[in-house]
Amino acid sequence: MTVRIARWSATHPGRAIGGWFAFVVLCLAAMSVAGIQQASQLELGIGEAGRADRMLDEGGLEAPVTENVLITPAGADADAAAADVADAMAALPGVAAVGDPLASPDGGSVTVPVTMAADEEHAEDEVQALLDVTAGVQEQYPDLRVEQAGEASVTKGFFALLEEDLGMIAMLSLPVTLIVLLVAFGAILAAGVPVLLAISSVASAVGLYAVASYAVPDGGTVTHLVLLIGMAVGVDYSLFYLRREREERARGRSTREAIEIAAATSGHSVVVSGLAVAVSMAGLYLAADVNFASMATGAILVVAIAVAGSLTVLPALLAKLGHRIDRPRVPLLWRLTNQQRPPRFWPAILRPALRRPAVTLVVSVLALLALAAPALNLKLSNPDESAFPRSLPVMQTYDRLVEAFPSTGAAHVVVVEAPAAAAGEVRTALEELAERTGDDDGFAHDQEPVIAQSDDGRFSSLRVGVPFGPETDEARASLDVLRGDLIPATVGTVAGASTAVTGEVAGGVDYNDNLASKLPWIIAFVLVLAFVMMTVTFRSVVVGLTTVFVNLLSTVAAFGVLALVFQYSWAEGLLDFTSNGTVVVWIPLFLFVILFGLSMDYHVFVVSRIREAAARGLPIRDAVREGITTSAGTVTSAALVMVAVFGLFAAMRVLEMKQMGVGLAVAVLIDAVVIRALVLPALMALLGSANWWAPRWLRRPPSAVATDPATELTRVG
């Protein structure tokens, strides 16, 4: 099928290129019309906390968005400044109410609470007017520190930083990728074609996801993920195809023949690799989480489009350009990348694995397991304010605000649904619950807990502050006390009442519990399907098993590096971040599925070349040497592109993006260097002819085994 598609595209290049251009334009038009549908907080809710959020929404009891103006130090000037803040804020159309100034428990600060009129989804757009008022009061009182922090201002500052970093990545990723490809090809057109395909794949995928987001709304990271994955796989797939086409032309074949051979070999590998990434990402659907589902949808779309582009428009471009694909040439790079003498570097690297495979395998596996060992104590946390960069002025204000007024930080929200006739009894029970929290140091006492009831009396809520960060053991302990002891002893005694707890702490705990319960099923799904796919593709049970083994090995080693860098803060100075002693909770699962898919790129490509050599009758060690050596330039170039793109994400100031970039870059390096140079050749050399073992029903008939790509073309053509 890949040959037939390539043949049609090469024969009708104008139609293929025009069709691809029309497809990209149509996708972009769909995005401009539909827009990307963002997931609401209710859709993102998980477990009991999610149920409590839905109860709050039904009862109309959602907490309003509140900003706090912190004035330091307290005194007569601070009181005057607070009065000016209150007057100016009250005059703004975006402000619903201004509370009375409050003194901190230590008497050192004053805060003015301001309730915004906008809801949570729109407050970020309206908060700038409040920040302008705060800045104006600061100018009037230069001897005071007048500053503002709250949900809307923190969100605005965070996303401004994120967009700035992503803009930098978008600006740098293209030249970095082009430089790597120029080194790989030595010609400008040959370097530009893979980048062009990757960019068009990313644009098309974002456009298609805009339509899909009405079924699977965006959890907030899809466009970033599409850029990350699309640039990596789009360049990789084009690179595999283009290098094979150039290799065949160098052997004297015509452009048409070279394209068809590339389609039969590299094109087939691209299809298998794309399916592997899609299958791995599909495992995220099992998490029953809107955020993971949106990630999976975006990644599958961009991979599918990149595969389709490699099979359709790429052969058309190669046919249209012909030998001109190698123009204009960069003189020095062209000579370096097109030397005809036998390679020396990779045969030397492979010598230990092929001469002493058992020793090499044991030593390399033990080294990778030692590298993975720190992951055994991996500590996970939800991305919250504690992980936001403290270089943001609003985060410095937030820290000072929470230190002075603990109730302005994390909070538990107890939600009760009961018959309207029991509204009075529920309020009494909540008042008793609030009173009991006053005797427990696990709850904040600088402000009174707030009780609210819906107009129909069916829903009630109690908000009580927590004087600890939402990811601390103390905060989780206070949640356990609330859910396990205080609620059953108070509200739990009201007949017909249903209770649930939400808030930053409860949301994080319930999210982690849901992920822990789904994780074994997701891992099993990915491993089993990867094994089945590789077994069927190569008609070998052993290839399926070795694929799972080497990919697991590189993934767990990457997890160990992630723990060393971020949990044990080994590279704080190098990567410019402050460790909070944890890894963001969604990173390991995300890395597992995506790395398992991306690792298949190289594995499928390399094993295919080894299988080609073995099919020609070479002994297994010679086949391994030839397969890895002939694919070395392609795989190394593809790995460098991935590491370069992922490395840019590692330079971001947002901690979870930095962790994602480091994890991906390290895993690709391990996979492309250690696995390919040591583990895989040693393992295949040890297994010998057993590499291709399969039960009789799975074996390919002898007549279907081609010894040369040209023979395969004759068979299918």
Side-chain angles (χ1 to χ4, degrees), residues 103-140:
S104 62
D106 63 5
S109 304
V110 174
T111 186
V112 180
V114 181
T115 302
M116 296 187 66
D119 59 19
E120 186 177 358
E121 293 184 10
H122 302 94
E124 180 188 345
D125 300 326
E126 305 291 336
V127 75
Q128 186 59 49
L130 282 70
L131 293 169
D132 292 341
V133 167
T134 301
V137 175
Q138 173 67 85
E139 291 180 2
Q140 296 176 36

Side-chain angles (χ1 to χ4, degrees), residues 416-438:
V416 185
E417 181 180 6
E425 188 178 356
V426 170
R427 174 173 280 276
T428 300
L430 287 176
E431 289 173 349
E432 181 185 351
L433 174 57
E435 185 178 349
R436 293 194 182 198
T437 63

Side-chain angles (χ1 to χ4, degrees), residues 347-605:
I349 293 294
L350 292 171
R351 194 171 294 122
L354 297 179
R355 286 186 176 180
R356 297 179 177 82
V359 174
T360 303
L361 182 63
V362 170
V363 171
S364 57
V365 168
L366 288 178
L368 289 175
L369 290 177
L371 192 60
L376 294 174
N377 296 317
L378 196 64
K379 294 181 180 178
L380 304 177
S381 67
N382 280 281
D384 60 11
E385 288 81 359
S386 66
F388 289 1
R390 263 44 196 176
S391 58
L392 282 173
V394 70
M395 293 314 303
Q396 299 170 20
T397 300
Y398 175 85
D399 290 339
R400 288 190 286 267
L401 177 67
V402 172
E403 183 179 0
F405 298 90
S407 292
T408 58
H412 300 308
V413 182
V414 181
V415 191
V416 185
E417 181 180 6
E425 188 178 356
V426 170
R427 174 173 280 276
T428 300
L430 287 176
E431 289 173 349
E432 181 185 351
L433 174 57
E435 185 178 349
R436 293 194 182 198
T437 63
D439 300 326
D440 193 323
D441 291 338
F443 304 93
H445 308 307
D446 59 291
Q447 297 181 34
E448 290 294 325
V450 179
I451 297 176
Q453 288 189 301
S454 62
D455 294 337
D456 61 6
R458 292 175 51 225
F459 296 93
S460 305
S461 68
L462 167 69
R463 184 186 188 281
V464 56
V466 181
F468 311 105
E471 290 299 323
T472 60
D473 293 338
E474 294 86 351
R476 286 189 285 267
S478 69
L479 177 66
D480 292 339
V481 169
L482 193 62
R483 284 177 168 176
D485 299 328
L486 299 183
I487 290 178
T490 53
V491 186
T493 62
V494 178
S498 172
T499 64
V501 182
T502 185
E504 297 91 330
V505 184
V509 168
D510 292 347
Y511 185 90
N512 292 350
D513 289 345
N514 173 72
L515 199 58
S517 66
K518 300 292 195 302
L519 189 59
W521 296 102
I522 296 172
I523 292 175
F525 174 86
V526 173
L527 295 182
V528 169
L529 285 188
F531 166 75
V532 170
M533 189 167 59
M534 293 298 291
T535 298
V536 171
T537 298
F538 288 97
R539 306 286 180 139
S540 168
V541 173
V542 177
V543 168
L545 290 173
T546 55
T547 298
V548 171
F549 171 70
V550 297
N551 285 354
L552 270 179
L553 197 59
S554 63
T555 302
V556 297
F559 285 176
V561 174
L562 203 62
L564 288 173
V565 171
F566 293 101
Q567 183 173 318
Y568 298 104
S569 63
W570 277 25
E572 279 186 326
L574 178 64
L575 296 177
D576 190 24
F577 73 99
T578 301
S579 173
N580 61 0
T582 65
V583 171
V584 175
V585 65
W586 62 268
I587 294 291
L589 175 58
F590 171 79
L591 288 183
F592 173 78
V593 296
I594 201 168
L595 290 176
F596 219 86
L598 292 179
S599 295
M600 300 279 273
D601 277 359
Y602 308 132
H603 195 76
V604 168
F605 190 70

Side-chain angles (χ1 to χ4, degrees), residues 266-291:
S266 295
H268 179 260
S269 298
V270 165
V271 172
V272 175
S273 298
L275 284 174
V277 179
V279 164
S280 296
M281 294 304 299
L284 292 178
Y285 289 120
L286 299 180
D289 179 346
V290 171
N291 199 27

Side-chain angles (χ1 to χ4, degrees), residues 20 23-25 27-28 31 36 166 169-170 173-174 177 194-210 221-238 297-309 645 649:
W20 181 258
F23 170 72
V24 175
V25 171
C27 291
L28 291 175
M31 181 179 64
I36 295 178
L166 288 173
I169 287 174
S173 60
L174 293 182
T177 302
V195 174
L196 181 64
L197 182 63
I199 293 172
S200 61
S201 298
V202 169
S204 302
V206 172
L208 282 184
Y209 180 73
T221 57
V222 172
T223 53
H224 313 151
L225 177 64
V226 167
L227 173 64
L228 182 77
I229 303 303
M231 288 302 297
V233 301
V235 169
D236 270 14
Y237 296 161
S238 302
T297 303
I300 290 171
L301 282 174
V302 75
V303 169
I305 292 171
V307 170
V645 173
F649 276 78

